[in-house]
Amino acid sequence: MQHDEVIWQVIRHNHCSFMAKIETGIFCRNPYNVTGTCNRSSCPLANSRYATIREHEGVFYLYMKTIERAHMPKKLWERVKLPRNYEKALEIIDKHLIYWPKLLVHKTKQRLTKMTQMRIRMRKLALKTREKIMTVPTKEKKREARREEKAEKAAQLDNVIEKELVERLEQGLYGDLYPIQKYKELLSKEAEMNEMEEEEEYATEYVEGYEELEEEEDMEDFGGRAMINEDADMDDDDDEEDDEETVYIDRKRDRKSSARKLEKEEPNSKSKKKVRVHVEVEHEDAPERQRAVL
């Protein structure tokens, strides 16, 4: 038979594997503890009737323990899934813990509030982009440094060997096996080619941007001159024809002008004839009209 007071006296005064004593206080590492502190009301081992909230893969569950299941450790805790909505979760807690101690119900709701706030902060931090700090072991650093030193030494050794071989060739130690003159000629050619490539790369050139337009203008000028010559020849011929036409036209004009002069002179000749005008004058006193001829 389970006796809560005996269990608490043993745990508190003798030994408890979940107890953590710190300068600020005594805490409990048991995952089912509601408050996280080690005391009589919040100890999950010394209370046969107990309720708490736990998180599993981002989902909150309400855990409840009763004295009726104390003899079945496999079914000791009853688990109820809580919705993500905070108000609905509080309603479910009130529904399942309606006849439980008010202090325990209040602590359970406080734990739900703290856990929801923690989940909100976790989501905000996950959305923020932060720098990830990576640790590099000292062994790898030393190994890379040794490899760099060996590579530098090998490069220097290759340059020294190349210089010694060139000096021996110049001294003629190898005789006719390796012709030094051809080797020098090849080196000089390679150097000249490299210099030419460098000059070509960095040399600036100035190019005409309107070559096609100038060619078209030259062709137009050449064609224009030919057209001018042809036009000049045509103009000479036209001038001769125009002279003949002007003579013919002048004759016609003379005839027309003479005809117009005659027409003008005829009405003048007619107008020279005297015209008689009859004028009648009436007087109030005179009984008869008087006529005068001008």
Side-chain angles (χ1 to χ4, degrees):
M1 185 176 178
Q2 185 175 355
H3 198 279
D4 294 342
E5 191 65 30
V6 174
I7 294 169
W8 173 247
Q9 291 296 328
V10 172
I11 289 171
R12 179 65 175 174
H13 298 290
N14 292 329
H15 175 72
C16 180
S17 60
F18 297 107
M19 189 185 293
K21 290 183 179 181
I22 308 173
E23 293 179 357
T24 55
I26 301 169
F27 295 94
C28 182
R29 289 193 291 262
N30 195 313
Y32 289 94
N33 197 315
V34 178
T35 59
T37 58
C38 183
N39 53 34
R40 176 73 176 80
S41 61
S42 60
C43 183
L45 301 176
N47 290 285
S48 58
R49 195 179 187 188
Y50 198 78
T52 185
I53 292 171
R54 291 190 66 187
E55 182 186 4
H56 181 68
E57 294 181 357
V59 182
F60 295 155
Y61 293 93
L62 174 64
Y63 283 80
M64 294 173 289
K65 183 178 76 169
T66 57
I67 192 67
E68 290 82 11
R69 293 190 299 274
H71 64 286
M72 294 185 293
K74 188 178 179 181
K75 298 179 182 179
L76 183 63
W77 293 92
E78 181 185 356
R79 189 174 74 172
V80 179
K81 185 178 179 180
L82 297 175
R84 287 186 175 272
N85 192 353
Y86 178 71
E87 294 178 356
K88 290 182 178 179
L90 291 175
E91 289 177 1
I92 290 169
I93 290 168
D94 290 331
K95 182 180 178 182
H96 285 84
L97 304 178
I98 189 169
Y99 300 113
W100 289 55
K102 291 182 180 180
L103 182 63
L104 187 60
V105 174
H106 179 65
K107 288 180 179 179
T108 308
K109 289 181 179 179
Q110 278 186 340
R111 186 174 176 83
L112 176 67
T113 306
K114 291 287 183 181
M115 292 179 76
T116 50
Q117 291 174 356
M118 182 187 69
R119 186 164 62 182
I120 290 165
R121 287 197 298 270
M122 286 172 67
R123 287 177 182 172
K124 287 182 179 179
L125 290 171
L127 291 172
K128 288 182 181 179
T129 56
R130 294 182 297 175
E131 294 181 356
K132 191 176 181 181
I133 299 169
M134 300 292 292
T135 58
V136 180
T138 55
K139 288 184 179 179
E140 290 184 1
K141 285 184 177 180
K142 290 178 180 178
R143 193 186 306 144
E144 288 177 358
R146 285 197 298 270
R147 287 177 181 175
E148 288 178 0
E149 289 177 0
K150 288 179 181 178
E152 289 178 358
K153 289 178 181 178
Q156 291 176 0
L157 184 63
D158 291 337
N159 293 328
V160 170
I161 291 167
E162 186 177 355
K163 288 179 181 179
E164 286 184 359
L165 290 171
V166 171
E167 288 176 358
R168 288 181 181 181
L169 284 170
E170 289 177 354
Q171 291 174 4
L173 295 173
Y174 298 106
D176 296 332
L177 292 173
Y178 302 102
I180 187 64
Q181 293 180 355
K182 291 183 179 180
Y183 179 70
K184 287 181 179 180
E185 289 176 0
L186 290 172
L187 290 175
S188 62
K189 286 181 180 179
E190 287 180 358
E192 289 177 359
M193 291 293 290
N194 292 327
E195 288 178 359
M196 290 292 290
E197 287 178 358
E198 289 178 358
E199 289 177 358
E200 288 177 358
E201 286 178 359
Y202 297 103
T204 56
E205 295 181 358
Y206 298 95
V207 183
E208 294 181 2
Y210 303 99
E211 291 180 355
E212 296 178 356
L213 294 174
E214 288 178 357
E215 290 178 358
E216 290 179 359
E217 288 176 359
D218 294 336
M219 292 296 290
E220 288 177 0
D221 294 337
F222 180 73
R225 289 175 185 172
M227 290 295 289
I228 289 166
N229 294 327
E230 290 179 0
D231 291 336
D233 296 335
M234 292 294 289
D235 290 335
D236 294 334
D237 297 333
D238 292 334
D239 290 335
E240 293 176 357
E241 292 177 357
D242 290 336
D243 292 334
E244 295 176 357
E245 288 179 358
T246 51
V247 172
Y248 182 68
I249 289 166
D250 290 335
R251 289 176 184 174
K252 285 185 177 181
R253 285 179 181 173
D254 293 335
R255 291 176 185 175
K256 287 181 180 180
S257 61
S258 60
R260 286 177 184 174
K261 286 179 182 179
L262 290 170
E263 289 177 357
K264 288 179 180 179
E265 288 175 356
E266 287 177 358
N268 291 327
S269 60
K270 290 179 181 180
S271 62
K272 286 178 181 178
K273 293 180 180 180
K274 292 182 180 180
V275 179
R276 292 180 181 182
V277 180
H278 296 277
V279 180
E280 292 181 359
V281 180
E282 288 184 1
H283 295 280
E284 293 180 355
D285 298 334
E288 295 180 357
R289 295 179 181 178
Q290 294 179 0
R291 291 182 182 180
V293 181
L294 298 174

